[in-house]
Amino acid sequence: MNTKMHLAIDIGASGGRHILGWLEEGKIYTEEVHRFQNGMKQMGEHLCWDIDALVNEVVTGLKRCATLGKIPATVGIDTWGVDFVLLDKKGNIVGPTIAYRDSRTDAMDIEVSKCISESELYSYVGLQKMLINTIYQLMAIKVQTPQYLNEAAHLLMMPDYLHYRLCGVMKNEYTIASTSALLNAESKTWDYEILKRCGFPQEIFCDIAPPGTALGGFTDEIKEIVGFDCTVIMPPSHDTASAFLAVPAKSENSVYISSGTWSLMGVELTKPITTEASRVANFTNEGGYDYRYRYLKNIAGLWLLQSIHKEIGNNMGYAELVKLAQASSCNCIFEVNDERFAAPDRMVDAIRDACLEQCTESTCTVPAPQSVGDFARSIFLSLAKSYADTMNDLQELTGTKFDSINIIGGGSQNAYLNQLTANVCKLPVYAGPTEGTALGNIVSQMIASGVLSDYKAARHAISQSFDIKLFEPELDLDCGSSRGC
């Protein structure tokens, strides 16, 4: 194949993929060449990432490209947000690479609020308050293990570190930095006033680079291991930023949902919304491609279903879970963003307790889920209800009346949830492409390489290349009460 190929390395909280992409006669084609598992591991007192294993998988996938004789011209890595690696002056990791679901950030919002109020912080960074945010993780280090900050010379977000391991260049990419609650939403640079007030060392923060920045070729060590050279290009390296770039929206007034472990629901704006009303509604202004803002809310997503599958799924496939959900009559709806669901000992107990709390002493009109199908249906109903509530908030905050919903990512394959979403939100749902994140990563490399002219051309090419399924609202259902649909 003589067509220039581009490699997206898309790493999520549960796994990663190496996907090659190329443009041929106006259509984008992809091929998965490597897939691997990822996950948080208990290491001592903390939930951590096995960062060395991730680096090894990145390299293994590159070697696979060489074995297949399909050498990419460019490569870019995207990951989840907020997590980071501290490095000393020699480039060695300082301390464990602790994952965002670790409990070390408990009460760190109180510590940060001693330095800057939540309202003032939001007016600068415009980020949804979540204890997983980088600002709270850094405060935990400052309070609990200050020696790590004293040793650190560099802070690299997760994809920044993986890029560094490939090419030896340290830079912070804009979209991933925007998940930290340390980036000024207006200036799009580190907010040094916040860093100063929180007592974080300013010198550890690298220059901010926009997505599409070429970092250079592989280091000599990587070239020797994988057998070829390649240009490392920073994509929108926050996975949701890449996913949003890949949305082939049917209209300018469309809502986006990137559906996976998390559901990220929102719209694209040219200016951030950092009002008090936006803060109270808990919306976030994250960076997007071409400095377009992803105005969205983080919703718990399929993490809930993944947990149930692991605990009581009895090794069944997800398709079987969906069938059992469709057969269930359980109508319990709970608040999916309740903090109890962040990292419970057992998700089934957390969901059952949330449902039982809706009962009075004398009656329980909506019984708590019992079977795995009950739990799955309860999760799907609750997610759809959360989508509807979030869409209503979006309409009020942006002053826009939406006419459709676009769902991309792995979760877009769930026809049952897609139909529920259409029914509850009373809008048509366009589902696909499934590999939204990898596609956004790939087309950003194509734009940087001159293969595509801009993001509009990229979205047009995606719309011409992949099947998008339509789900029309079927019934005038009301999921607004605890009795469900």
Side-chain angles (χ1 to χ4, degrees):
M1 182 182 294
N2 295 321
T3 304
K4 182 184 289 188
M5 307 191 79
H6 308 272
L7 179 64
I9 303 176
D10 170 31
I11 307 176
S14 59
R17 295 87 48 80
H18 290 55
I19 298 179
L20 287 166
W22 63 94
L23 190 69
E24 193 173 329
E25 296 182 352
K27 288 190 175 183
I28 297 170
Y29 295 87
T30 62
E31 178 184 350
E32 182 180 298
V33 295
H34 182 56
R35 180 179 287 262
F36 58 92
Q37 296 294 313
N38 187 30
M40 305 170 200
K41 298 181 179 180
Q42 193 72 37
M43 299 182 182
E45 297 179 353
H46 296 290
L47 278 174
C48 298
W49 301 110
D50 189 340
I51 191 68
D52 290 333
L54 283 177
V55 172
N56 288 337
E57 291 290 359
V58 167
V59 172
T60 298
L62 290 169
K63 290 165 67 176
R64 177 64 178 160
C65 291
T67 299
L68 294 171
K70 298 178 178 181
I71 308 300
T74 66
V75 61
I77 302 172
D78 65 78
T79 77
W80 65 96
V82 308
D83 284 342
F84 57 91
V85 177
L86 293 176
L87 305 174
D88 63 18
K89 292 179 180 179
K90 295 182 179 179
N92 299 316
I93 293 179
V94 175
T97 307
I98 299 178
Y100 61 83
R101 289 194 189 275
D102 186 76
S103 61
R104 67 171 173 167
T105 55
D106 291 352
M108 287 302 117
D109 54 335
I110 297 173
E111 294 299 319
V112 169
S113 67
K114 294 175 184 177
C115 308
I116 182 170
S117 71
E118 290 183 5
S119 180
E120 188 179 7
L121 177 64
Y122 189 87
S123 71
Y124 293 147
V125 303
L127 207 71
Q128 177 182 2
K129 181 190 173 183
M130 302 180 75
L131 284 178
I132 65 175
N133 291 345
T134 311
I135 189 171
Y136 301 120
Q137 295 197 46
L138 274 176
M139 185 58 73
I141 293 176
K142 178 187 171 186
V143 171
Q144 300 162 10
T145 52
Q147 67 273 19
Y148 294 154
L149 280 183
N150 293 334
E151 294 175 36
H154 309 280
L155 180 146
L156 295 178
M157 304 297 282
M158 192 63 68
D160 301 332
Y161 175 74
L162 296 173
H163 285 137
Y164 161 68
R165 288 295 299 269
L166 290 182
C167 67
V169 177
M170 293 188 188
K171 280 190 182 296
N172 289 127
E173 189 272 325
Y174 165 64
T175 68
I176 197 75
S178 74
T179 69
S180 66
L182 295 168
L183 195 79
N184 187 283
E186 290 284 356
S187 69
K188 307 175 186 68
T189 58
W190 297 118
D191 195 309
Y192 290 102
E193 178 63 23
I194 293 175
L195 297 178
K196 180 180 178 181
R197 287 166 66 171
C198 288
F200 302 149
Q202 299 181 21
E203 63 275 9
I204 69 175
F205 293 87
C206 302
D207 293 339
I208 299 288
T213 298
L215 298 179
F218 289 160
T219 63
D220 290 341
E221 178 186 5
I222 295 296
K223 282 188 286 189
E224 184 177 349
I225 294 172
V226 303
F228 63 92
D229 196 7
C230 182
T231 301
V232 178
I233 293 179
M234 286 178 145
S237 58
H238 183 213
D239 50 13
T240 312
S242 273
F244 267 47
L245 174 58
V247 175
K250 296 293 182 180
S251 132
E252 289 293 321
N253 296 328
S254 187
V255 178
Y256 301 175
I257 301 177
S258 177
S259 179
T261 300
W262 291 88
S263 291
L264 293 306
M265 183 174 186
V267 295
E268 279 190 322
L269 301 175
T270 56
K271 293 183 179 179
I273 299 177
T274 57
T275 62
E276 182 65 9
S278 178
R279 182 189 73 82
V280 172
N282 216 16
F283 277 82
T284 200
N285 296 267
E286 293 177 353
Y289 188 82
D290 199 33
Y291 290 120
R292 296 166 68 83
Y293 293 90
R294 294 174 287 130
Y295 187 63
L296 54 85
K297 178 174 283 190
N298 288 272
I299 300 169
L302 295 175
W303 155 254
L304 300 163
L305 189 68
Q306 291 164 2
S307 298
I308 292 297
H309 181 255
K310 182 179 179 181
E311 291 172 10
I312 59 173
N314 299 321
N315 298 317
M316 66 181 63
Y318 282 103
E320 188 176 352
L321 269 181
V322 172
K323 287 183 180 179
L324 291 173
Q326 290 174 298
S328 168
S329 59
C330 180
N331 281 336
C332 177
I333 291 176
F334 56 91
E335 173 49 61
V336 296
N337 287 325
D338 191 302
E339 289 186 1
R340 77 177 81 192
F341 304 123
D345 292 334
R346 277 176 54 83
M347 186 66 76
V348 290
D349 294 337
I351 291 176
R352 186 181 289 115
D353 289 346
C355 291
L356 288 173
E357 286 172 8
Q358 300 178 31
C359 302
T360 65
E361 291 184 3
S362 58
T363 182
C364 191
T365 58
V366 184
Q370 300 297 324
S371 69
V372 64
D374 290 347
F375 279 101
R377 176 172 162 83
S378 182
I379 288 168
F380 292 140
L381 289 176
S382 300
L383 283 173
K385 173 63 164 54
S386 184
Y387 295 160
D389 291 343
T390 301
M391 185 189 69
N392 291 334
D393 288 341
L394 274 169
Q395 289 186 148
E396 183 175 342
L397 289 163
T398 63
T400 302
K401 181 69 174 177
F402 300 115
D403 56 21
S404 58
I405 297 172
N406 288 264
I407 302 180
I408 57 172
S412 68
Q413 299 176 89
N414 191 322
Y416 179 56
L417 179 56
N418 293 340
Q419 189 62 62
L420 278 177
T421 301
N423 293 346
V424 177
C425 294
K426 300 179 176 63
L427 287 178
V429 167
Y430 296 91
T434 6
E435 298 292 353
T437 300
L439 278 173
N441 184 328
I442 287 166
V443 297
S444 72
Q445 296 178 51
M446 289 181 172
I447 296 169
S449 303
V451 176
L452 291 169
S453 58
D454 56 22
Y455 72 88
K456 292 181 180 179
R459 285 174 171 167
H460 177 72
I462 290 170
S463 71
Q464 299 301 304
S465 307
F466 299 94
D467 181 34
I468 310 297
K469 295 182 179 178
L470 172 62
F471 296 82
E472 293 278 12
E474 290 180 343
L475 300 169
D476 185 19
L477 295 176
D478 178 16
C479 284
S481 70
S482 62
R483 296 188 65 180
C485 301

